[in-house]
Amino acid sequence: MAQLNRARIDSVAEVAGRQDPLGMPLVVSRDLDVTFQTKKGRIEAVKGLSLNVGDGEFVSILGPSGCGKSTLLRVAAGLLKPSGGALSVGGETVTGPRSDVGVVFQKPALLPWKTVLDNVTLPVRSQGLNRKAGAERARRLLDMVGLAQFADSYPAELSGGMQQRVGIVRGLVNDPKVLLMDEPFSALDAMTRETMMDDLQRIWTETRKTVMFITHSIPEAVYLSDRVIVLSPRPARLVEDLTIDLPRPRTMDTMSEARFTDYTRHLRGIFSHLDK
Amino acid sequence: MKEKLTGALYPLITFGAILALWLVAVYVWDVPSYVLPKPLAVLGALKTGYIDGLFWHHFFYTLSSTAMGYIIGCVAAIFVGAIVSEWRIAERLINPLVIALQSMPKVALAPLILVWFGFDQTSKVIMVVLVCFFPVFVNTVVGLKQTPADLLEMARAANTGRWRTFWEIRFPSAAGHIFAGLQIAIVLSLIGAVVAEFVSSSEGLGYLINASALTMEVNVMFAALVSLAAMGVIGTQIVRFAHSKLVFWEGSLAATVQE
Ligand SMILES: Nc1ncnc2c1ncn2[C@@H]1O[C@H](COP(=O)(O)OP(=O)(O)OP(=O)(O)O)[C@@H](O)[C@H]1O
Ligand SMILES: [Mg+2]
């Protein structure tokens, strides 16, 4: 428990300058502000948010609903311009969508009129990359998530979990450095979620992407991550930056280990404070 | 298979009832034949018309005016609709015109079009173009605007350019709406062609109806009407077939499995 408390102190005091143990930070957010102008007035979604994600690191982001998690992710994806501060990937400030950043959305967002393979290779076509190489990579990735024989099927012929796997493969098809995931499993049932968690862990182990993973589920975050970041209610600020020190590969047994439950209990405690 | 048989049964019942009523009107109530011809007289008119060949000319005249106008009108509507939904300036320029013309009954323009474009087939084709344009245009714009936001955001994140976003995402997403417009346009195009022929023509099924009204040949009028109905039904079926084949993802999967 002492270790956890120290992590908490670290996070508040020196996260901005913190050097990641796994390498140079690949994603760096500095004093990020995002303000929306609406008819009812200004909404501050993110305020002075500083955090970083190391190269090859799997970082989950937890926070109450509506706190600004998706907003943060959209800035990282180049879909939204921040109103203050900056977010950089690989040392370059993000100003628009980039080919070295892949995005996986909450809904799979597949095109019903395209086959699985054509859906997955949309980023390849869009960025004018070699289609043959792209299709080969796509088939390899589909094979990795157990969908090899569905390459020529249409999305309507797949289950929800399979569709979300197609969405993940599409996010990976350009071999990005960073994979951004916005609650990719939230629409799935509990059983499917668990298999998807294992699939994602396997994909991550095999590809070693840097992952920013937004979720509402504390166990999911602890299970998958090297670090878990907790954001405050709107406007999003950083309230916790917790390193998860559990051996990999993690299995369903990991979830019943004492250290796992320590982490989840600790995070739950933070959440109950946030609500007050 | 059984589904299909019962499916065909209901229209047969309806038509059987109408035919029975018709027979009763003619043979029991003695409605005079210059008001309502006997079914056999209509069949006779159809037979002499199409076998002796007099009708074919009128049939193809109307068919070609309708088909040409339909194709030109629908293609133009989809094209202009795409431009309007892609460029805001185009939308602002074209919308006032569309709103003004849309609420006007287009058939009222028929005499003017004849004055402008002469009395030959061109004026009929233009009438059909005008009538077809609006439903297809409106549906194209609405369809393109209703492209799901999550698909567009996904495309933006993937750096999909405007052109590719249009062809791979917006246009297919609007296809169902566009086909609904094409369906409406079939019926309207026939109306347009017939009205233009009513106003002034010496050919076409519309002319045939007009001419036989003057000579009180009601059976010929009925035969021409049956021909027009057949044209409409076949046209609608063609569009419906194309719709289900081209926009295959919108037909519910369950329905195709059942068959
Ligand atoms: N385009 C927008 N215009 C105006 N306000 C917005 C917009 N996008 C988000 N917001 C507001 O910003 C806040 C944060 O939204 P965001 O979607 O980032 O939350 P979130 O943490 O992802 O929530 P959830 O967990 O429910 O997905 C919300 O209050 C939302 O209403
Ligand atoms: Mg969200």
Side-chain angles (χ1 to χ4, degrees):
Chain A
M1 238 16 218
Q3 179 202 358
L4 293 184
N5 284 335
R6 203 177 59 243
R8 187 170 194 184
I9 293 160
D10 281 355
S11 67
V12 177
E14 39 172 330
V15 66
R18 174 178 171 142
Q19 270 297 313
D20 207 272
L22 288 167
M24 287 295 287
L26 188 64
V27 182
V28 179
S29 157
R30 283 279 166 276
D31 305 320
L32 197 71
D33 294 330
V34 182
T35 310
F36 291 110
Q37 210 68 253
T38 65
K39 284 181 196 118
K40 287 180 196 156
R42 288 152 58 87
I43 293 180
E44 282 186 318
V46 176
K47 190 160 190 209
L49 181 65
S50 295
L51 58 84
N52 51 39
V53 181
D55 197 355
E57 202 178 13
F58 194 119
V59 173
S60 286
I61 295 171
L62 280 171
S65 187
C67 79
K69 302 182 295 294
S70 297
T71 304
L72 170 66
L73 204 91
R74 294 182 68 220
V75 171
L79 294 170
L80 191 67
K81 286 214 164 55
S83 28
L87 192 148
S88 65
V89 171
E92 290 168 41
T93 302
V94 175
T95 52
R98 303 160 55 107
S99 61
D100 57 355
V101 174
V103 189
V104 180
F105 297 91
Q106 180 166 2
K107 287 194 244 162
L110 302 180
L111 307 174
W113 43 87
K114 297 257 178 207
T115 62
V116 165
L117 188 67
D118 285 344
N119 262 288
V120 162
T121 52
L122 178 69
V124 176
R125 289 195 298 283
S126 297
Q127 282 151 36
L129 305 175
N130 184 322
R131 292 193 188 197
K132 219 169 152 196
E136 253 168 49
R137 211 164 44 243
R139 285 191 188 277
R140 248 198 336 272
L141 287 164
L142 285 171
D143 190 32
M144 193 154 110
V145 298
L147 291 177
Q149 74 271 40
F150 291 96
D152 300 318
S153 306
Y154 286 91
E157 298 158 13
L158 309 186
S159 72
M162 290 154 95
Q163 291 186 13
Q164 197 51 275
R165 267 179 279 193
V166 174
I168 295 173
V169 169
R170 183 181 54 201
L172 288 167
V173 75
N174 272 350
D175 202 18
K177 284 194 213 133
V178 182
L179 188 63
L180 306 171
M181 307 181 87
D182 192 352
E183 303 189 35
F185 306 151
S186 62
L188 306 175
D189 62 89
M191 294 289 284
T192 314
R193 259 180 112 125
E194 290 196 348
T195 38
M196 294 292 288
M197 274 162 61
D198 274 333
D199 278 352
L200 182 57
Q201 180 177 235
R202 212 185 57 247
I203 293 169
W204 180 78
T205 322
E206 284 175 32
T207 59
R208 286 289 158 174
K209 300 290 174 208
T210 303
V211 181
M212 254 173 100
F213 183 83
I214 291 177
T215 176
H216 268 126
S217 157
I218 291 173
E220 194 173 277
V222 174
Y223 186 83
L224 288 168
S225 310
D226 298 317
R227 258 165 67 216
V228 176
I229 285 172
V230 181
L231 301 180
S232 68
R234 194 166 60 81
R237 281 170 297 102
L238 192 135
V239 291
E240 173 65 301
D241 185 341
L242 180 68
T243 301
I244 307 294
D245 192 10
L246 292 170
R248 289 189 189 265
R250 296 164 189 170
T251 63
M252 287 302 139
D253 293 334
T254 314
M255 289 201 179
S256 45
E257 276 177 29
R259 270 200 295 171
F260 187 93
T261 42
D262 277 351
Y263 284 127
T264 53
R265 193 179 309 120
H266 174 72
L267 289 168
R268 251 184 218 113
I270 292 172
F271 259 84
S272 62
H273 279 295
L274 288 180
D275 287 342
K276 276 170 198 160
Chain B
M1 200 54 208
K2 204 177 168 192
E3 288 265 314
K4 272 191 177 163
L5 275 182
T6 42
L9 196 60
Y10 292 106
L12 279 180
I13 292 173
T14 310
F15 283 118
I18 291 172
L19 189 64
L21 194 67
W22 187 355
L23 289 170
V24 167
V26 171
Y27 290 106
V28 180
W29 300 332
D30 279 331
V31 176
S33 66
Y34 57 84
V35 176
L36 190 66
K38 297 190 171 78
L40 277 177
V42 173
L43 267 181
L46 279 170
K47 184 169 160 275
T48 42
Y50 284 110
I51 288 175
D52 302 345
L54 185 68
F55 275 21
W56 283 118
H57 174 73
H58 297 296
F59 183 89
F60 281 120
Y61 185 85
T62 303
L63 181 65
S64 59
S65 315
T66 310
M68 266 194 279
Y70 180 82
I71 292 168
I72 296 170
C74 293
V75 169
I78 293 170
F79 186 74
V80 179
I83 286 174
V84 160
S85 69
E86 282 287 315
W87 284 285
R88 256 201 86 69
I89 302 170
E91 184 179 10
R92 288 189 183 173
L93 289 173
I94 292 175
N95 257 7
L97 184 69
V98 168
I99 291 167
L101 281 177
Q102 202 187 355
S103 27
M104 181 198 288
K106 257 70 66 185
V107 290
L109 292 170
L112 186 65
I113 286 169
L114 286 162
V115 171
W116 283 353
F117 296 97
F119 295 89
D120 58 6
Q121 204 175 10
T122 313
S123 57
K124 281 81 189 172
V125 173
I126 287 174
M127 187 69 228
V128 176
V129 169
L130 210 61
V131 172
C132 285
F133 183 87
F134 290 91
V136 180
F137 170 82
V138 170
N139 276 41
T140 304
V141 172
V142 169
L144 287 170
K145 290 211 163 170
Q146 284 185 356
T147 310
D150 57 332
L151 295 186
L152 291 177
E153 174 138 302
M154 178 278 294
R156 213 150 69 79
N159 247 324
T160 311
R162 190 170 184 167
W163 189 246
R164 186 178 300 283
T165 303
F166 181 82
W167 284 114
E168 293 205 22
I169 299 173
R170 291 167 69 88
F171 193 63
S173 151
H177 274 92
I178 295 176
F179 264 107
L182 293 177
Q183 198 99 257
I184 302 167
I186 283 277
V187 180
L188 292 181
S189 66
L190 273 175
I191 296 177
V194 169
V195 167
E197 287 170 8
F198 279 174
V199 175
S200 166
S201 184
S202 50
E203 293 161 273
L205 293 169
Y207 156 78
L208 197 62
I209 291 172
N210 235 0
S212 20
L214 295 176
T215 54
M216 298 284 253
E217 290 175 274
V218 187
N219 52 350
V220 175
M221 287 173 82
F222 267 69
L225 285 173
V226 169
S227 309
L228 283 171
M231 227 185 261
V233 168
I234 290 168
T236 307
Q237 289 308 319
I238 291 172
V239 173
R240 200 170 277 172
F241 179 76
H243 186 172
S244 66
K245 285 294 162 213
L246 294 175
V247 195
F248 59 91
W249 59 92
E250 274 177 20
S252 67
L253 205 63
T256 42
V257 171
Q258 252 182 20
E259 251 181 312

